[in-house]
Amino acid sequence: MSPKQQSILLGAGVAALLSTSYLSLINCLCCLGVIIGGLAATWHYTDSNQLTIKPGDGAVMGLSAGALGALVALVLNFVLIKMGIRHDLAMTNLMIDLMGDNLPREQYNELMAQSEAPVRFGSYFFGFNQLIGIVV
């Protein structure tokens, strides 16, 4: 495995850790956990190899680490949810607590239904795909 690949895996591990369970709330700050993972990959590569890289190369390393970390976090979060650690409800409950009175009734009912529905990998992964579609 090349040093660049090792650094990307390290950054992906950092991004996945910061995107798993309740730590994933850090990603509410402009995806900060994923950005930190990308920075860790680039820093590790440049520091351990004593070199300077082009900004484009650093961006590709960061993007690779962030994307891989997000996929690992997706699987880890699903496993944690199945084990009974429902960190996904934290954001839903926060939204209901902060905005519940101001939400249209249909939206409030939808949030309540989502929080009570069982989590299956298909629906969990489909929700992740919708999020990517919104971002892109």
Side-chain angles (χ1 to χ4, degrees), residues 97-119:
D97 291 342
L98 292 177
M99 300 181 292
D101 297 336
N102 299 326
L103 290 175
R105 197 77 191 141
E106 298 83 25
Q107 196 172 8
Y108 178 82
N109 292 339
E110 183 64 30
L111 280 173
M112 293 303 292
Q114 284 178 354
S115 67
E116 296 167 356
V119 178

Side-chain angles (χ1 to χ4, degrees), residues 53-120:
I53 59 175
K54 296 177 185 174
D57 293 337
V60 169
M61 285 184 66
L63 178 68
S64 301
L68 183 59
L71 290 175
V72 170
L74 174 72
V75 173
L76 288 175
N77 282 327
F78 181 73
V79 170
L80 290 172
I81 288 170
K82 284 302 187 182
M83 290 173 48
I85 301 172
R86 293 293 309 264
H87 68 281
D88 59 319
L89 292 179
M91 279 305 291
T92 303
N93 290 336
L94 179 67
M95 288 173 36
I96 290 171
D97 291 342
L98 292 177
M99 300 181 292
D101 297 336
N102 299 326
L103 290 175
R105 197 77 191 141
E106 298 83 25
Q107 196 172 8
Y108 178 82
N109 292 339
E110 183 64 30
L111 280 173
M112 293 303 292
Q114 284 178 354
S115 67
E116 296 167 356
V119 178
R120 293 184 182 84

